């Protein structure tokens, strides 16, 4: 069995007395898509920085692509790609020239075929000779991901990959990201403050708040932690609250115009009881609302995931280190 692609054990990063990351542990299996969700300042970018070797650990251990990040930082860097939160490309260069520059930085020999395939995958082939300054935000992000994939990494880290994109472009990028995982077999670690993004993309999610993991699991496991489903019920005849509360499993009944909103434990178990108490012929409308990740997040942190910052990270430093190491 291959080793997990990422193993973080009690990773900790302190800035003075401030614990930016506080004893965080998780594993990402080879080929997994792992998401770190958290509000501004939760420590998401700091976790990426320590896992990619950009920042030293204060405490704890991390292994990425089979190597300890502290003892073998260069082995790690050669096996990973990194997409920073802010798009940082050379605007005066074309897409192709940016790939050429990346190949130089990463010392990738025979990069042209792979670069051409990546441009095709990201539907940028027609724009390869256009200056990046003419690219849309979505095209820039796609080119950035292509750059991070050029040296055939085993693991790719993406810090807020769809920040600043409109919903349509965001969805298009989701498909490309899952495709990279499926078709190229690359393990993906991403951060996000978009709950629906983590829900759509990730097989496993950790919710981070003030440097600590407050919950971890599959999207469905996390949603199951918020107890109760809501049933929206419309009936052909007037039904009063007492009658609804008498149905086993109803915790709450709230009128909303002509319909009722019932809070129940599990809709699957509740519906048969409902049909025993109210004849199906009388039911005009029925909708089941499962708990969302948004409600999990609110319940666990008391916060909404808000707008994330757009800091420019040490992207250049990252690749410059790799170049230095390869001499
Ligand atoms: N170089 C640094 N020196 C001091 N404090 C820092 C440094 N880098 C980050 N921090 C602090 O560490 C905490 C975590 O920051 P981090 O950038 O990891 O959060 P984040 O979850 O990525 O937030 P965002 O969603 O805004 O990108 C914040 O309080 C931040 O101010
Ligand atoms: Mg960040």
């Amino acid at each position: 069995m291959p080793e997990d692609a990422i193993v973080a054990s009690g990773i900790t990063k302190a800035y003075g007395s401030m614990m930016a990351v506080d004893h965080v542990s998780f594993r990402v299996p080879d080929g997994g898509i792992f998401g770190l969700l958290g509000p501004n300042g939760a420590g998401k970018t700091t976790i990426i920085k320590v896992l990619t070797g950009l920042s030293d650990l204060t405490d704890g251990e991390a292994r990425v692509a089979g190597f300890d990040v502290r003892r073998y930082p260069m082995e790690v860097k050669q096996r990973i790609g990194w997409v920073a939160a802010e798009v940082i490309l050379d605007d005066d260069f074309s897409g192709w020239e940016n790939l050429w520059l990346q190949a130089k930085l990463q010392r990738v020999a025979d990069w042209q075929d792979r670069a051409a395939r990546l441009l095709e995958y990201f539907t940028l082939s027609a724009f390869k000779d256009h200056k990046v300054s003419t690219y849309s935000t979505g095209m820039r992000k796609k080119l950035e991901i292509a750059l991070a994939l050029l040296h055939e990494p085993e693991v790719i880290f993406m810090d807020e990959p769809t920040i600043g994109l409109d919903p349509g472009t965001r969805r298009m990028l989701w498909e490309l990201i899952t495709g990279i995982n499926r078709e190229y077999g690359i393990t993906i670690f991403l951060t996000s403050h978009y709950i629906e993004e983590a829900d759509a993309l990730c097989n496993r999610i950790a919710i981070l708040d003030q440097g600590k993991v407050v919950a971890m699991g599959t999207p469905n496991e996390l949603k199951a932690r918020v107890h109760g489903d809501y049933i929206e019920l419309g009936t052909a005849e007037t039904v009063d609250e007492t009658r609804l509360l008498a149905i086993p499993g109803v915790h709450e009944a709230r009128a909303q115009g002509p319909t009722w909103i019932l809070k129940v434990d599990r809709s699957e178990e509740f519906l048969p009881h409902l049909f025993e108490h109210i004849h199906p012929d009388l039911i005009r409308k029925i909708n089941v609302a499962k708990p969302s990740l948004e409600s999990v997040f609110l319940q666990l942190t008391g916060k909404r995931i808000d707008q994330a910052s757009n800091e420019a990270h040490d992207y250049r430093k990252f690749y410059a280190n790799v170049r230095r190491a390869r001499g």
Side-chain angles (χ1 to χ4, degrees):
M1 206 172 80
E3 184 180 353
D4 287 333
I6 306 174
V7 183
S9 318
I11 58 171
T12 298
K13 178 73 186 180
Y15 290 112
S17 59
M18 208 277 293
M19 300 289 265
V21 178
D22 194 353
H23 295 91
V24 167
S25 301
F26 57 83
R27 284 171 175 269
V28 183
D30 202 24
I33 306 186
F34 186 86
L36 202 53
L37 258 179
N40 277 144
K44 304 180 297 294
T45 299
T46 307
I47 289 182
I48 289 197
K49 284 185 178 176
V50 298
L51 292 177
T52 53
L54 264 169
S55 186
D56 293 333
L57 280 164
T58 308
D59 197 12
E61 279 178 27
R63 291 175 68 79
V64 175
F67 289 93
D68 183 296
V69 295
R70 258 207 279 232
R71 290 169 60 203
Y72 301 102
M74 289 311 146
E75 281 74 6
V76 170
K77 281 178 185 168
Q78 284 157 16
R79 287 166 179 78
I80 63 174
W82 177 42
V83 182
E86 181 160 285
V87 178
I88 306 167
L89 295 163
D90 267 291
D91 256 13
D92 291 335
F93 279 12
S94 67
W96 187 254
E97 286 165 339
N98 270 278
L99 283 155
W100 164 79
L101 188 62
Q102 181 74 4
K104 288 253 172 229
L105 285 170
Q106 286 281 52
R107 294 193 181 272
V108 188
D110 304 325
W111 56 277
Q112 286 93 339
D113 280 356
R114 178 149 170 106
R117 276 200 309 277
L118 285 166
L119 287 176
E120 205 175 297
Y121 179 77
F122 288 106
T123 57
L124 291 171
S125 302
F127 307 95
K128 75 190 243 294
D129 296 322
H130 296 207
K131 274 191 178 184
V132 165
S133 55
T134 65
Y135 282 22
S136 68
T137 316
M139 288 164 73
R140 284 161 183 255
K141 189 48 89 177
K142 290 196 292 186
L143 181 60
E144 277 246 296
I145 301 174
L147 295 187
L149 292 171
L150 192 61
H151 62 299
E152 305 190 41
E154 293 166 36
V155 183
I156 183 164
F157 292 87
M158 300 190 192
D159 199 1
E160 317 242 12
T162 67
I163 193 162
L165 301 179
D166 63 71
T169 310
R170 177 169 301 146
R171 265 161 220 287
M172 175 268 291
L173 218 76
W174 289 354
E175 283 185 24
L176 291 168
I177 292 172
T178 43
I180 292 166
N181 173 254
R182 224 181 18 242
E183 290 164 37
Y184 291 72
I186 295 172
T187 304
I188 297 179
F189 181 100
L190 62 90
T191 72
S192 185
H193 66 276
Y194 298 119
I195 291 179
E196 69 280 18
E197 176 160 298
D199 199 0
L201 290 181
C202 303
N203 357 87
R204 233 170 126 68
I205 296 171
I207 295 181
L208 194 71
D209 189 34
Q210 294 180 21
K212 289 195 171 76
V213 171
V214 292
M216 188 151 49
T218 65
N220 283 339
E221 280 165 2
L222 291 177
K223 286 179 220 169
R225 291 175 63 141
V226 173
H227 291 298
D229 296 345
Y230 286 94
I231 311 267
E232 191 187 5
L233 179 73
T235 51
E237 65 180 37
T238 315
V239 184
D240 67 13
E241 191 178 346
T242 328
R243 187 168 160 202
L244 291 170
L245 287 173
I247 309 174
V250 176
H251 295 303
E252 232 178 84
R254 190 160 33 90
Q256 201 171 74
T259 57
W260 282 95
I261 307 291
L262 309 178
K263 182 159 198 282
V264 302
D265 284 334
R266 282 172 49 79
S267 50
E268 296 84 345
E269 285 154 22
F270 167 72
L271 290 174
H273 293 302
L274 173 70
F275 300 140
E276 275 167 30
H277 283 73
I278 297 177
H279 196 278
D281 289 347
L282 291 178
I283 294 174
R284 289 285 170 269
K285 167 166 138 188
I286 190 155
N287 279 318
V288 176
K290 289 275 177 192
S292 66
L293 274 184
E294 179 77 52
S295 52
V296 181
F297 192 83
L298 263 170
Q299 194 184 68
L300 290 169
T301 67
K303 291 181 204 140
R304 290 193 156 274
I305 290 190
D306 228 337
Q307 214 251 303
S309 71
N310 253 335
E311 277 171 64
H313 298 302
D314 312 323
Y315 186 76
R316 300 259 170 241
K317 194 174 113 196
F318 175 85
Y319 287 111
N321 280 342
V322 176
R323 187 180 38 187
R324 246 197 313 278
R326 289 181 177 178

